[in-house]
Amino acid sequence: MFSLSKLLVLTGYSVRASSCVIDIGLFKSYTCPCSSIHTSKLRTELQSPLRVNMAVIDVLTASGEDLQALLKEGKTTSMELIDLYLDQIKKHNHHGLELNAMISVAPRSYLISIAKQLDEERAAGRIRGPLHGLPITVKDNICTDKSLGMDTTCGAFALVGAEPKGNAPIIERLIDAGLIIIGKANLSEMAGWKGFGITTGWSAVGGQTQSPYIIGGVAKGEKLLGHTTPAGSSSGSAVSVAAGFAPLSVATETDGSISQPANRAALYGLKLTVGSVPTDGTAPWSALTDSVGGMAKTAQDLAYLVESLATGVELFTSLNKTKLWTEQTVGFVDDKLWEFVDFICTADPVLIAQQQELYKETKSILKQHGAKVHENVPLTSMNELQLDNEDALDQLWNHDFAKAWEGFLNFFQESKVKTITDIVEFNKQNAEKALPPEHPGQQLLEATLEDKMSADKYSEGVEIIRTAAKKNGIDRTLTEFGLDVIVGPMDGRIPTIAAAAGCPVGTVPLGYSKTNGRPFGLAVVAAAGDDQKILNFMAAWDETMPKRKPPPQLVDWDESKERLSKV
């Protein structure tokens, strides 16, 4: 008989015994993990801790709901939250752990003015929604108006100083929801489409994003998704939430760009159905697979966030009422078929054994809680996504990229580059910064300029990926077994299959590597348009499974030791 205590030992989680019920307005009540706001060491550089009714806010564990409850009760203000999170960014972005998660941070004067306005609205009884007055980071490939005080660089020096025509539509939706955009997050340069051998999370502008869970940072010579990387391309977005720079983040995903970094940061992450939310003003790969989504520490926070992105369509407000496993039918793939190939990530036998054991135990837990579980359900393999014996997606992306980027660059009213050709030439002429010795290549950019795919061949490729991944893959498996979602390891290409199908994909935290402490989780896929079912799975998961752990290095941070180590 499986014991939950066994899972706790395997994952290294701790149980929070105490909780309190707080009224949050939208729903009758929410059970809040008190450890996130009860008395603990304030992990900021403030001279005097921000006191909140005999407690302090722990930016590493406080959820958006926790903060919203305090705001509603008048125990803090959005202005105070801004200073709290700015201080954490100052402490660990370019100092402390030197995480390099943020490329830019909005001016404090601007942030305080917005926070003050939102505090005044709250005092007058005008609440925009459940995220009113909370800070958020956005990936630096999403256009923001110059009035926000930050560039939109995509991590490329060619776009430093470029001026967008205005905010991307999704930025306007975040602002309308009452969110405060505190900064722009680092990323794999140009969302990972630049050159060979570039570590995920590195950009010429932002440097190498580091995982707060990995002691010593990215190993020298690490592979694309090696065990010490933060994964990508939305690396800084995930790290910013895990490190307490903001409780929420919005990012883009083509193939794993949200789900993989969220997985490495023990977060809940979700890429929304392709085409369900406008991507105007976001740096593209291909309209076939591009979408947006978010990351958060809890399923409920993530639901609130993606609802703000899907404004006008109340898809997710029922999340609080659908947390029972008995209402869900879940299909688990054969985990032994879904591992990274060696050129992406070197196999770790200890980690693989740990993941396989937890995968097995997870199925037992869901069954015990009433979920209907199907094991070893079929799912399209990468070998089926072939066009002329080569990767079909790579060929389609290579065909779409340059033209898609011309459209993106048209979103800028001032820019020294207008095409991918311009960017390639700029990089060559400014190689010291744009093509440094550690990452000197731009082969992917050069290859897209040489694309000669015909319209007929493109159509053939689209038919192949949609038929294999969607019609004969995800849709067939969901229908045949009567599933709500398909679940499998995140350490694999399941997000790629979801991308090929245009389907939503999310991730939930599961455990921490015995080898180096890096988080790992599960991928969750649903049919196109059924994003809600992924959120329902996440909500039940969040209620049932042990709570995620913040990065131990930050929990145990000792500034005196830091100063001594630099003497």
Side-chain angles (χ1 to χ4, degrees), residues 335 351-360 491 518 520:
D335 57 320
L351 175 59
I352 290 173
Q354 182 187 6
Q355 290 173 327
Q356 289 177 350
E357 184 172 3
L358 281 174
Y359 194 71
K360 179 180 178 181
D491 281 11
R518 70 104 161 154
F520 61 85

Side-chain angles (χ1 to χ4, degrees), residues 265-308:
L267 300 175
Y268 292 84
L270 178 63
K271 172 193 180 183
L272 293 166
T273 297
V274 173
S276 65
V277 178
T279 56
D280 310 63
T282 69
W285 275 26
S286 167
L288 291 171
T289 51
D290 292 348
S291 190
V292 298
M295 308 179 198
K297 298 185 184 78
T298 69
Q300 185 66 77
D301 277 5
L302 182 59
Y304 287 144
L305 179 56
V306 296
E307 185 182 17
S308 73

Side-chain angles (χ1 to χ4, degrees), residues 19-20 35 43 52 54 73 114 151 180 182 192 213 232 234 269 377 432 458 467 469 490 522 544:
S19 64
C20 62
S35 60
R43 298 177 180 91
V52 184
M54 303 295 289
E73 294 169 12
I114 298 300
D151 284 352
I180 306 171
I182 197 169
Y213 287 91
S234 307
V377 299
E432 183 178 351
Y458 183 84
T467 299
M490 266 304 308
L522 299 179
T544 305

Side-chain angles (χ1 to χ4, degrees), residues 273 380 385 464-478 497-498 500-503 527-529:
T273 297
T380 307
L385 304 182
I464 286 172
I465 65 167
R466 289 294 196 245
T467 299
K470 188 177 189 298
K471 180 180 177 181
N472 295 336
I474 293 170
D475 287 356
R476 174 174 290 180
T477 296
L478 290 170
I497 302 302
C503 291

Side-chain angles (χ1 to χ4, degrees), residues 111-363:
L111 293 171
I112 291 296
S113 68
I114 298 300
K116 181 180 179 183
Q117 175 188 335
L118 292 167
D119 283 336
E120 290 171 349
E121 289 181 14
R122 182 181 298 279
R126 296 193 300 271
I127 308 298
R128 301 189 187 189
L131 303 179
H132 183 109
L134 300 184
I136 187 172
T137 65
V138 300
K139 189 175 181 180
D140 195 29
N141 68 342
I142 302 173
C143 286
T144 50
D145 187 79
K146 67 176 183 179
S147 62
L148 273 66
M150 298 171 287
D151 284 352
T152 301
T153 71
C154 302
F157 271 109
L159 286 175
V160 171
E163 184 179 318
K165 296 175 181 177
N167 289 322
I170 61 170
I171 296 296
E172 289 296 329
R173 293 182 177 189
L174 297 176
I175 292 172
D176 288 345
L179 285 155
I180 306 171
I181 299 167
I182 197 169
K184 306 288 288 288
N186 199 5
L187 68 164
S188 306
E189 186 169 339
M190 298 186 76
W193 195 277
K194 184 186 181 185
F196 298 148
I198 297 178
T199 311
T200 50
W202 181 89
S203 71
V205 174
Q208 178 63 58
T209 307
Q210 301 288 353
S211 168
Y213 287 91
I214 302 299
I215 296 175
V218 175
K220 185 176 181 179
E222 184 63 281
K223 294 180 179 179
L224 181 69
L225 287 174
H227 298 291
T228 62
T229 73
S233 64
S234 307
S235 319
S237 303
V239 171
S240 71
V241 177
F245 293 177
L248 306 159
S249 188
V250 161
T252 63
E253 173 167 328
T254 297
D255 173 16
S257 291
I258 291 173
S259 50
Q260 290 291 0
N263 173 57
R264 297 287 178 99
L267 300 175
Y268 292 84
L270 178 63
K271 172 193 180 183
L272 293 166
T273 297
V274 173
S276 65
V277 178
T279 56
D280 310 63
T282 69
W285 275 26
S286 167
L288 291 171
T289 51
D290 292 348
S291 190
V292 298
M295 308 179 198
K297 298 185 184 78
T298 69
Q300 185 66 77
D301 277 5
L302 182 59
Y304 287 144
L305 179 56
V306 296
E307 185 182 17
S308 73
L309 296 174
T311 182
V313 183
E314 294 188 4
L315 296 175
F316 311 112
T317 54
S318 63
L319 185 61
N320 201 40
K321 303 172 184 177
T322 57
K323 293 182 178 179
L324 296 177
W325 285 116
T326 53
E327 300 173 11
Q328 302 188 47
T329 304
V330 181
F332 285 81
V333 302
D334 183 348
D335 57 320
K336 296 179 178 62
L337 300 178
W338 294 92
E339 298 176 356
F340 284 131
V341 294
D342 188 66
F343 78 88
I344 291 178
C345 181
T346 302
D348 177 353
V350 173
L351 175 59
I352 290 173
Q354 182 187 6
Q355 290 173 327
Q356 289 177 350
E357 184 172 3
L358 281 174
Y359 194 71
K360 179 180 178 181
E361 306 293 9
T362 295
K363 290 181 281 188

